[in-house]
Amino acid sequence: MVFALSGIRLPIVPTASVSNQSSSHGERKNVNFSRLVRKDSFTWKIFAGESSHTSDSSSMATATEKILVPECKADVSSSFTDSVETPEAVSEDSQIFQEVAGTPMEEDNGIRGEQYNVFSELISRAPLQVQEDDVKSEAKSRSIPPPGTGQRIYEIDPMLEGYRNHLDYRYGHYKKMRELIDINEGGLEAFSRGYEKFGFQRSSTGMTYREWAPGAKAAALIGDFNNWNPNADVMTQNEFGVWEIFLPNNADGSPPIPHGSRVKIRMDTPSGIKDSIPAWIKFSVQAPGEIPYDGIYYDPPEEEKYVFKHPQPKRPKSLRIYEAHVGMSSTEPVINTYSNFRDDVLPRIKRLGYNAVQIMAIQEHSYYASFGYHVTNFFAPSSRFGTPDDLKSLIDKAHELGLLVLMDIVHSHASNNVLDGLNKFDGTDSHYFHSGSRGYHWMWDSRLFNYGHWEVLRFLLSNARWWLEEYKFDGFRFDGVTSMMYTHHGLQVAFTGNYNEYFGLTTDVDAVVYLMLVNDLIHGLFPEAVAVGEDVSGMPTFCIPVQDGGVGFDYRLHMAIADKWIEVLQKKDEDWRMGDIVHTLTNKRWSEKCVAYAESHDQALVGDKTTAFWLMDKDMYDFMSLDRPSTTVIDRGIALHKMIRLITMGLGGEGYLNFMGNEFGHPEWIDFPRGDQHLPDGRVIPGNNDSYDKCRRRFDLGDAEYLRYHGLQEFDQAMQHLEEKYAFMTSGHQYISRKDEGDRTIVFERGDLVFVFNFHWNNSYSDYRIGCLKPGKYKVVLDSDDKIFGGFDRIDHRAEYFTNEMWYDDRPHSFLVYAPCRTVVVYALAED
C-alpha cells in the first residue's frame, strides 16, 4: 500500500515487530535497538541516495544531570567529564568528523537563564522566512491573558485552605515562569512558536536549520541533498547549546533541500557518533525492510498544499466523543489511511450522533503496537496512515460535518527509542528528560520529561500550539496526566481522596505548572478549543481555570467508571449493589466537568475484555444472528450492555466517550501485529505471527440488520440523539430519587427527563410508582426494550403517564409505570 507525495512514493509498511516499545501502557517490549542497526548501506529505490545508517549505534552513556536554578531559568550545562570510548564501528567516521568540525564544545556550554533574552534577540535576527496565511496572522494577534490572583480556589473549595502553603507556592511558581517567559521570550505567545526558530526554516535566500543539542561535541546536517556526506554541511554551535547551519539556495533559485528528501543530524556525542532524526521534524518515514525511520523534509509546492475550506465548529455544550484509531479503523486486516477514515468512518460518526472525534496515535511512533503512546517524533503525524496533507483533509472533512477533532496528545512521556526519538538525542541521559531513575518510567518502559527545563517547556508548548494552528485540531485529550503530576506517577498508590495525597513532596510542581502553562496557551489563543485531562487521582483544582488557581482543564476523564464496571461484571447479578454503582458514577468534584465512559481503548486491548465480551463471551460467535435462537447469556448481555452505557451517560458526567466499535458490542479484542519476543533470560513471549486480523474494527457487524449487533448500535445512536434533543448531561438539575437494593432499581432525574432502571434479572414491576419534580403528562422517549434495539417490546409507547399530587421518594409529584426486568425507560414531559 502506498500513498503519493510530490515526486516520490512513500510506502506504508508494518513496523518491524522488534522494538523496545509498549502496547498502550501495558505489555512492554524490551529490545536493544543498538543491535538492530546494520553497518552496511542499504539501497532504497524509492528514495534515491545512500543510507544515513552507515554505522552501528553505540549504547548511550549517562551524562551529568542538567541543573535548574531556583528561579527555573534553564541551565543545560553538562560537565561530560566521564570519558566515553567510541566503538570501533564508528571510530573512523568520528575521526573524520572531528577533523572537519573542529574543536568540540567546551565542558560548560549550557544556557544560563539570564542569557535567554540575548539568545532570543540573536535568533530573531537570523534569516527566517515564516510564510503565514491570514489565519496564522490572526492567531498571532491574539493574546494570552496575564495571570490572575489564583485565590478563587479557596472560595470554590474551602477544604483547600489547609493546603494554602503548597497551592500558593505552586501558583507563585507559575507566575514566576510567566514573568520569566515575558522578560526573556516576549511572552507565552512568542515562546510557543519554537517551530518557527528550530528545525528547518525557509527564507528567500536559503534555509536555516537549528537544533538544541548541548551535549554534542560536533554536528553536521546530512541527507539525500548532500549524499549523506558528514563533511559537507558542518554545523556551528553557539553559547546556548544550539547548533545551526545556513544553506543558500541553489544557483537556479531552488531550495537547497528538495521536498521529500531524507534528512538527519549526525552528532559526535559523549556516547559516540549518532545519527538522529531532527527533533522538530514535521514528517518521518520508515523505509521498506528497514528498522530505523528517516526524517523527511516536508515542504510541498504551494499548489499542492492542502487548503482548509471549512470553519472550525464552535465548542458544543455537551461533548459526545467517538474515540478512534485511524490505522485500525478498517473492516479489513490492514493499516487504514487518513483518506479512508475521512470517507468511510467520519460519516458513520456523524450518523451515530457524536459531535466530536478523538483520534489516537497521531504523533509518529516507531512501534505500532504502542497504540501511539510511545512517541518518537512529536511534530510529525504518523506516516503509516498517509501524508500531513491527508490528515489536514480528514480534519477539514470533519469540520464540514460539524465534528470537533480532538487529538490524543502525549506529553506525559516519550519513547525510549534512541534511534528515532528524543531519548539520548545528544548522547546524554538528561537532554529532554530527567537523568537517572527519575527520568525513566519502569512500568511504561519510557522516558520522562524534565518539565522544569526551559527548552523542554519551549518544545512541548510549541508542540501543542503546532497541532492546533497548523492542523486545526479543536483540542486535546492529554494522556497520562496522573503520571505527570506525581513523582510516584500514581503507581502502586491507592488514592483515597485525602488531600494530603495531592499536595506534598510527591507532587511534581514543575509538571503541574507546565499543565497550567499549556492550558493558558490553549484557552488564550484558541478560545473554542477543548482540553481534556486523563487523571485517575482526582487531583483537586484540576478543572478550575488557571487564573483562579486551578490546573485549567475543561474536563477530567472519569476513569473510575470503567474500572467499576469491570469489577461489577465479574460478580453474579445477585451481588450487584445499586448504591455502589451510583456512588461511582456520581463521585466527582463539584463544579468540575467530567467525561464519562463505560469502556475506552484500554478495555479493548488483548489481555482485557470489552463490556460485551465480559457479558456474552464465546456465545457472541454463535448466537448473534437473528435467524438463530438466542441464549440466556445473549439476552442478558444485550440487555445489560444497553443499560450500562445509558446509566454511564446519564449519571457519569457532562461529556461521554465511546471507543469505536463498542457502540455495537465489538466481539473481538485488539491485538496489534507482533512477532515472538526473545527475552535475555531465554524465555520466549509468543506473538501472533504479525497478524492484523484483530487489529481492525468490524463495522460491518453493526450495520448488518440480520445480526443482534445492529440493535446495540441503533440504541447507541438513540442515546446520542436523546442527549442532542434534551441536553440532559449539561443540565443543572440532577436528583437520584431511588436506589433500591431489593427491587434492584435506580430512578433519577436529569434535566427534564426521568430515567427508570430495573437491573433485576427476573422481576418486572407493574404500577411501579416513581417520583418526579415537575407535574404534567409524561411520555416514553427512549426504551431499551424496543424491538429495534434487540428488546422484547414490552412497553407501549402510546401510553400517557399523568402525575399525581403526592410526595414520593422525596419528590413533590409521582406517576405509575411498568418497569420490565433488565430495562431502562426514559420519560419526558409531553410538549403539549
Side-chain angles (χ1 to χ4, degrees):
M1 185 184 304
V2 297
F3 55 87
L5 184 67
S6 177
I8 53 179
R9 285 165 63 78
L10 306 181
I12 299 179
V13 294
T15 304
S17 59
V18 282
S19 174
N20 61 348
Q21 306 304 299
S22 73
S23 177
S24 187
H25 303 179
E27 182 184 357
R28 304 295 142 184
K29 312 294 183 184
N30 297 301
V31 177
N32 188 343
F33 262 82
S34 64
R35 293 197 296 249
L36 303 179
V37 185
R38 293 185 290 280
K39 297 180 183 179
D40 57 324
S41 301
F42 68 83
T43 301
W44 186 13
K45 295 181 180 179
I46 295 176
F47 285 115
E50 188 179 345
S51 169
S52 62
H53 317 298
T54 55
S55 59
D56 200 0
S57 292
S58 61
S59 59
M60 299 292 108
T62 301
T64 308
E65 183 175 2
K66 299 177 178 66
I67 301 172
L68 193 66
V69 297
E71 295 85 3
C72 283
K73 295 180 180 181
D75 181 351
V76 298
S77 59
S78 298
S79 61
F80 305 134
T81 52
D82 296 337
S83 61
V84 181
E85 195 170 345
T86 304
E88 291 181 6
V90 298
S91 60
E92 184 178 348
D93 279 347
S94 178
Q95 182 178 358
I96 297 173
F97 192 64
Q98 291 187 24
E99 288 174 359
V100 175
T103 306
M105 56 184 278
E106 296 297 323
E107 289 184 350
D108 184 1
N109 52 27
I111 304 177
R112 304 296 179 184
E114 61 272 15
Q115 294 174 322
Y116 261 87
N117 54 347
V118 181
F119 174 54
S120 180
E121 181 181 353
L122 286 173
I123 203 166
S124 66
R125 295 175 184 170
L128 298 178
Q129 177 181 330
V130 182
Q131 299 177 352
E132 302 163 0
D133 55 21
D134 293 338
V135 176
K136 287 188 178 180
S137 298
E138 181 184 350
K140 292 181 182 180
S141 67
R142 295 194 296 266
S143 62
I144 299 172
T149 62
Q151 298 299 298
R152 190 167 176 268
I153 52 173
Y154 305 115
E155 301 174 20
I156 297 172
D157 185 357
M159 290 181 62
L160 295 173
E161 280 285 354
Y163 303 89
R164 182 180 281 272
N165 287 342
H166 177 96
L167 291 166
D168 284 354
Y169 167 78
R170 184 179 84 180
Y171 203 75
H173 185 35
Y174 153 75
K175 291 179 70 174
K176 182 64 175 178
M177 290 305 300
R178 282 291 304 267
E179 179 184 350
L180 288 171
I181 291 170
D182 288 344
I183 294 172
N184 297 313
E185 298 285 352
L188 190 55
E189 190 280 329
F191 188 49
S192 62
R193 284 190 271 121
Y195 48 80
E196 295 178 359
K197 297 178 180 179
F198 289 91
F200 295 94
Q201 307 297 332
R202 284 285 306 279
S203 71
S204 59
T205 57
M207 185 180 301
T208 301
Y209 168 62
R210 297 187 187 90
E211 197 73 72
W212 174 62
K217 296 178 286 186
L221 182 62
I222 57 176
D224 293 332
F225 71 99
N226 64 8
N227 293 319
W228 302 94
N229 181 0
N231 301 329
D233 295 293
V234 177
M235 304 177 71
T236 59
Q237 186 189 44
N238 65 18
E239 64 270 36
F240 310 106
V242 175
W243 295 88
E244 179 176 325
I245 188 171
F246 176 74
L247 304 176
N249 286 335
N250 296 323
D252 60 359
S254 61
I257 302 179
H259 164 58
S261 299
R262 294 177 300 166
V263 290
K264 286 199 172 184
I265 179 173
R266 174 166 294 183
M267 291 175 284
D268 183 6
T269 77
S271 305
I273 298 296
K274 181 178 185 292
D275 290 352
S276 296
I277 296 175
W280 299 74
I281 200 72
K282 306 304 190 295
F283 196 46
S284 63
V285 170
Q286 185 183 41
E290 290 296 322
I291 291 172
Y293 275 62
D294 282 302
I296 301 295
Y297 176 67
Y298 193 86
D299 186 21
E302 289 298 322
E303 63 272 13
E304 296 181 15
K305 293 181 180 178
Y306 187 84
V307 178
F308 286 93
K309 305 176 183 66
H310 304 284
Q312 294 177 248
K314 298 294 183 182
R315 183 197 302 196
K317 188 176 181 181
S318 70
L319 196 61
R320 302 188 299 279
I321 303 172
Y322 194 85
E323 186 184 34
H325 184 292
V326 171
M328 55 173 294
S329 63
S330 173
T331 57
E332 301 299 322
V334 297
I335 298 178
N336 209 9
T337 65
Y338 295 124
S339 298
N340 289 342
F341 187 92
R342 175 197 64 205
D343 297 337
D344 301 334
V345 183
L346 287 179
R348 171 184 299 275
I349 296 171
K350 178 66 175 178
R351 185 172 65 252
L352 286 171
Y354 291 87
N355 56 23
V357 54
Q358 178 179 298
I359 307 182
M360 309 170 61
I362 290 296
Q363 295 166 292
E364 188 61 86
H365 47 290
S366 63
Y367 184 45
Y368 191 42
S370 75
F371 234 134
Y373 290 118
H374 276 203
V375 177
T376 45
N377 309 123
F378 282 77
F379 287 83
S382 178
S383 59
R384 291 181 180 88
F385 317 137
T387 68
D389 289 285
D390 291 337
L391 175 58
K392 291 178 180 179
S393 176
L394 183 162
I395 295 171
D396 200 25
K397 179 62 177 180
H399 291 163
E400 181 186 6
L401 295 172
L403 297 172
L404 267 66
V405 186
L406 307 181
M407 176 177 167
D408 197 344
I409 197 168
V410 184
H411 282 181
S412 50
H413 62 137
S415 170
N416 65 6
N417 182 333
V418 175
L419 291 180
D420 305 321
L422 296 180
N423 188 21
K424 300 179 181 177
F425 183 84
D426 68 350
T428 68
D429 183 51
S430 54
H431 186 199
Y432 284 93
F433 311 107
H434 288 291
S435 62
S437 60
R438 188 179 178 188
Y440 178 73
H441 197 294
W442 61 267
M443 180 176 285
W444 294 349
D445 190 23
S446 56
R447 296 304 312 272
L448 299 173
F449 287 105
N450 179 356
Y451 300 102
H453 199 286
W454 194 270
E455 287 303 324
V456 174
L457 288 178
R458 187 199 306 275
F459 184 83
L460 293 177
L461 290 169
S462 298
N463 186 245
R465 180 171 180 175
W466 169 255
W467 294 109
L468 293 174
E469 191 158 285
E470 181 69 19
Y471 288 87
K472 300 192 183 302
F473 278 97
D474 301 290
F476 299 114
R477 177 265 201 189
F478 280 83
D479 169 70
V481 175
T482 302
S483 175
M484 297 172 66
M485 294 191 298
Y486 308 97
T487 55
H488 52 61
H489 312 301
L491 301 176
Q492 300 175 333
V493 175
F495 290 98
T496 65
N498 187 314
Y499 278 31
N500 290 320
E501 298 167 346
Y502 306 113
F503 311 118
L505 296 178
T506 59
T507 304
D508 189 333
V509 175
D510 286 337
V512 176
V513 167
Y514 164 70
L515 293 172
M516 296 166 74
L517 291 171
V518 77
N519 278 311
D520 260 353
L521 172 76
I522 293 168
H523 296 117
L525 296 182
F526 306 90
E528 292 294 322
V530 177
V532 182
E534 184 195 36
D535 171 42
V536 71
S537 74
M539 163 69 81
T541 76
F542 192 76
C543 291
I544 296 176
V546 175
Q547 62 265 29
D548 295 333
V551 183
F553 284 100
D554 297 308
Y555 295 87
R556 183 204 310 270
L557 279 181
H558 202 335
M559 302 176 67
I561 297 176
D563 293 336
K564 173 56 68 175
W565 284 126
I566 291 175
E567 174 190 324
V568 169
L569 290 171
Q570 296 179 70
K571 300 178 180 179
K572 294 184 294 185
D573 289 24
E574 295 88 336
D575 297 327
W576 289 27
R577 293 292 173 261
M578 303 298 101
D580 187 32
I581 292 171
V582 169
H583 173 74
T584 300
L585 291 169
T586 58
N587 184 23
K588 50 194 175 185
R589 298 195 178 279
W590 179 77
S591 80
E592 294 192 23
K593 293 187 291 186
C594 290
V595 172
Y597 60 95
E599 51 189 340
S600 69
H601 66 273
D602 289 322
Q603 286 72 46
L605 288 171
V606 63
D608 206 336
K609 291 182 180 180
T610 62
T611 302
F613 217 78
W614 276 112
L615 288 166
M616 295 177 276
D617 206 76
K618 65 180 183 298
D619 279 26
M620 297 184 73
Y621 294 111
D622 297 315
F623 301 101
M624 293 298 280
S625 176
L626 290 173
D627 63 0
R628 297 190 63 181
S630 183
T631 67
T632 56
V633 171
I634 293 295
D635 290 343
R636 172 182 180 268
I638 288 177
L640 291 177
H641 195 273
K642 291 177 286 187
M643 297 177 72
I644 286 170
R645 282 180 286 158
L646 187 55
I647 198 170
T648 299
M649 188 181 199
L651 281 180
E654 293 71 30
Y656 179 77
L657 179 142
N658 167 67
F659 179 66
M660 63 178 188
N662 290 350
E663 68 272 11
F664 60 84
H666 201 285
E668 297 171 339
W669 55 93
I670 300 166
D671 190 7
F672 283 86
R674 51 192 171 86
D676 295 343
Q677 183 183 1
H678 298 268
L679 302 181
D681 60 6
R683 291 182 298 134
V684 177
I685 299 177
N688 61 9
N689 295 320
D690 294 315
S691 171
Y692 284 81
D693 184 63
K694 297 295 188 293
C695 195
R696 54 174 170 157
R697 295 283 88 180
R698 294 293 305 276
F699 294 119
D700 54 315
L701 300 178
D703 292 342
E705 296 184 7
Y706 58 87
L707 296 177
R708 292 184 169 89
Y709 297 107
H710 185 67
L712 294 175
Q713 180 170 285
E714 289 292 303
F715 185 74
D716 201 273
Q717 179 172 302
M719 284 171 44
Q720 309 311 318
H721 289 291
L722 182 73
E723 162 57 23
E724 180 68 25
K725 181 175 181 179
Y726 292 98
F728 58 86
M729 284 198 302
T730 55
S731 170
H733 174 63
Q734 176 177 304
Y735 189 88
I736 301 164
S737 58
R738 175 167 294 204
K739 297 173 288 185
D740 194 313
E741 302 295 349
D743 291 347
R744 293 292 197 273
T745 57
I746 298 172
V747 180
F748 63 87
E749 303 160 19
R750 197 155 188 198
D752 291 331
L753 302 180
V754 180
F755 295 75
V756 181
F757 287 82
N758 180 5
F759 281 95
H760 203 284
W761 54 95
N762 189 47
N763 292 347
S764 299
Y765 306 108
S766 299
D767 295 332
Y768 198 71
R769 186 169 295 279
I770 60 172
C772 63
L773 174 65
K774 296 182 179 180
K777 181 177 70 174
Y778 283 79
K779 63 178 181 179
V780 174
V781 291
L782 183 60
D783 165 25
S784 70
D785 202 44
D786 196 309
K787 193 171 183 179
I788 65 172
F789 304 141
F792 295 98
D793 223 9
R794 289 169 286 180
I795 297 292
D796 185 355
H797 294 179
R798 299 169 299 177
E800 297 176 337
Y801 304 84
F802 294 90
T803 60
N804 300 118
E805 299 296 323
M806 61 177 293
W807 281 82
Y808 194 78
D809 285 343
D810 291 326
R811 309 311 287 148
H813 308 281
S814 63
F815 58 96
L816 300 174
V817 301
Y818 175 44
C821 60
R822 287 185 180 142
T823 63
V824 52
V825 183
V826 184
Y827 300 87
L829 273 172
E831 296 178 358
D832 58 351

